Amino acid sequence: MSPTPEPASAAYPETGARTSGATSSETLSVTLRYFAAAADAAGRPEERLDLPVGTTLAGLREQLAGRGLEMARVVPICSFLVNSVSTPADSLTPLADGDAVDVLPPFAGG
C-alpha cells in the first residue's frame, strides 16, 4: 500500500496552528498603572496589555520606553511595583497572567 497524503497534510495544519497564531496559553495579560509623569507620558492612568508568555519586567520596561520620546525619558527613572511589591526594573523574573504593574516616577514633596 502506498501512503496517502491525507494524514500527513492533516498533521501539518495542526502543527502550524500551534506555532503561528497567539492563543491564550501563549500570552499573558497585565494591568499597568501609571502615576504622575508616567501617566502624562503614557497619556492615560491605566491600561491592560497583552504580552508574550515569558515577558519579564525588564522586557516590559524596554517596550514601554520604545513608545515615544516622553516615555523614553520617564521610564528609565521609574520604580516598579509588581502586585504591590517593589521589583527591580531589570528583573528577569517572568511576569504572570493577571499581574498588576505600577510605574512610579520619582516623587518630590513632603
Side-chain angles (χ1 to χ4, degrees), residues 3-100:
T4 60
E6 270 182 42
S9 63
Y12 291 114
E14 188 177 305
T15 302
R18 280 190 216 127
T19 58
S20 61
T23 65
S24 61
S25 64
E26 296 172 341
T27 62
L28 59 97
S29 186
V30 297
T31 299
L32 295 170
R33 296 182 294 208
Y34 303 103
F35 295 86
D40 291 341
R44 65 193 82 167
E46 185 174 302
E47 71 177 304
R48 193 122 179 108
L49 196 59
D50 291 325
L51 303 167
V53 167
T55 299
T56 63
L57 183 57
L60 173 60
R61 192 176 123 222
E62 284 182 35
Q63 181 179 340
L64 293 176
R67 285 185 168 182
L69 292 175
E70 195 59 24
M71 286 295 278
R73 185 186 67 75
V74 171
V75 168
I77 60 172
C78 287
S79 298
F80 294 85
L81 302 178
V82 177
N83 300 322
S84 301
V85 176
S86 181
T87 305
D90 60 353
S91 175
L92 297 178
T93 302
L95 296 168
D97 190 51
D99 279 351

